[in-house]
Amino acid sequence: MATEIKVWEVINEGLREIEGDDLASEHLEKDLETWITNNPSLLGGRLLPIKRQHDVPQVGIVDLICIDENGKLVVVEFKRSLTSREAVAQALDYASWLDTTSEAEIRSLAQEGLGKPIEDAFLGCFGSELQSLAPQDHRILLVAPRLDSSAERIINYLADR
């Protein structure tokens, strides 16, 4: 089942619905990444972005890695137009990398991305102490304006299981 999301633009204290099914004509994927990093609640939950554009050798560049208020890591992949099954495979590849990553690697990339220990940033963001950090405890968010039918079918299958 598809989710419908409307996008609005603020113009002179008024709202205008943005028509069309992709952001590609007006914005770059990098713009979307910046908006989300600056206001991660746009993703529908409380998240702390810990690293942008993380290059994983022989895998690719992960758009954004976050941690949620429960200490679960979140791999976020951005697409600015119709998202295909290849984008789902890309996100799964990033998740498979995360599954083999050590806690020390996550702490190091968070230090690099945040400029301070992850525990300090977590406490500042969520007001509680980080209880545990397990890279194998993660989820995937694919941020896109539309999914093609095969991508939607794969995502629904994975979500049900």
Side-chain angles (χ1 to χ4, degrees):
M1 171 194 332
T3 300
E4 182 178 2
I5 298 174
K6 303 254 183 205
V7 179
W8 301 84
E9 181 177 30
V10 179
I11 300 175
N12 298 325
E13 298 183 37
L15 293 175
R16 177 184 70 89
E17 184 176 351
I18 296 175
E19 299 293 329
D21 59 5
D22 75 273
L23 300 170
S25 62
E26 295 184 34
H27 300 287
L28 301 173
E29 192 174 298
K30 184 174 130 183
D31 295 330
L32 181 58
E33 183 181 312
T34 298
W35 297 333
I36 299 288
T37 301
N38 292 337
N39 190 357
S41 65
L42 292 170
L43 294 175
R46 294 184 64 201
L47 295 174
L48 169 63
I50 60 173
K51 185 76 182 344
R52 283 176 71 170
Q53 295 295 304
H54 181 64
D55 188 7
V56 180
Q58 299 161 345
V59 176
I61 298 175
V62 181
D63 290 335
L64 186 61
I65 302 170
C66 299
I67 189 166
D68 70 16
E69 62 190 319
N70 299 312
K72 184 178 282 197
L73 293 168
V74 182
V75 173
V76 184
E77 178 61 23
F78 297 101
K79 296 299 177 194
R80 64 183 182 148
S81 58
L82 176 69
T83 299
S84 66
R85 64 191 299 151
E86 287 76 22
V88 176
Q90 180 184 16
L92 287 170
D93 201 9
Y94 296 151
S96 71
W97 157 76
L98 193 57
D99 196 55
T100 62
T101 302
S102 70
E103 181 179 334
E105 284 181 86
I106 297 301
R107 288 182 184 285
S108 176
L109 73 87
Q111 175 73 37
E112 183 182 322
L114 295 165
K116 58 183 160 186
I118 193 168
E119 289 83 4
D120 295 349
F122 191 90
L123 181 61
C125 182
F126 301 118
S128 62
E129 292 190 15
L130 179 60
Q131 298 299 311
S132 67
L133 181 62
Q136 295 70 33
D137 187 17
H138 60 265
R139 60 189 170 107
I140 304 167
L141 284 176
L142 187 56
V143 179
R146 274 192 328 143
L147 300 171
D148 72 12
S149 60
S150 63
E152 185 173 357
R153 191 171 48 254
I154 292 166
I155 289 169
N156 285 333
Y157 170 80
L158 292 170
D160 287 345
R161 281 152 187 79

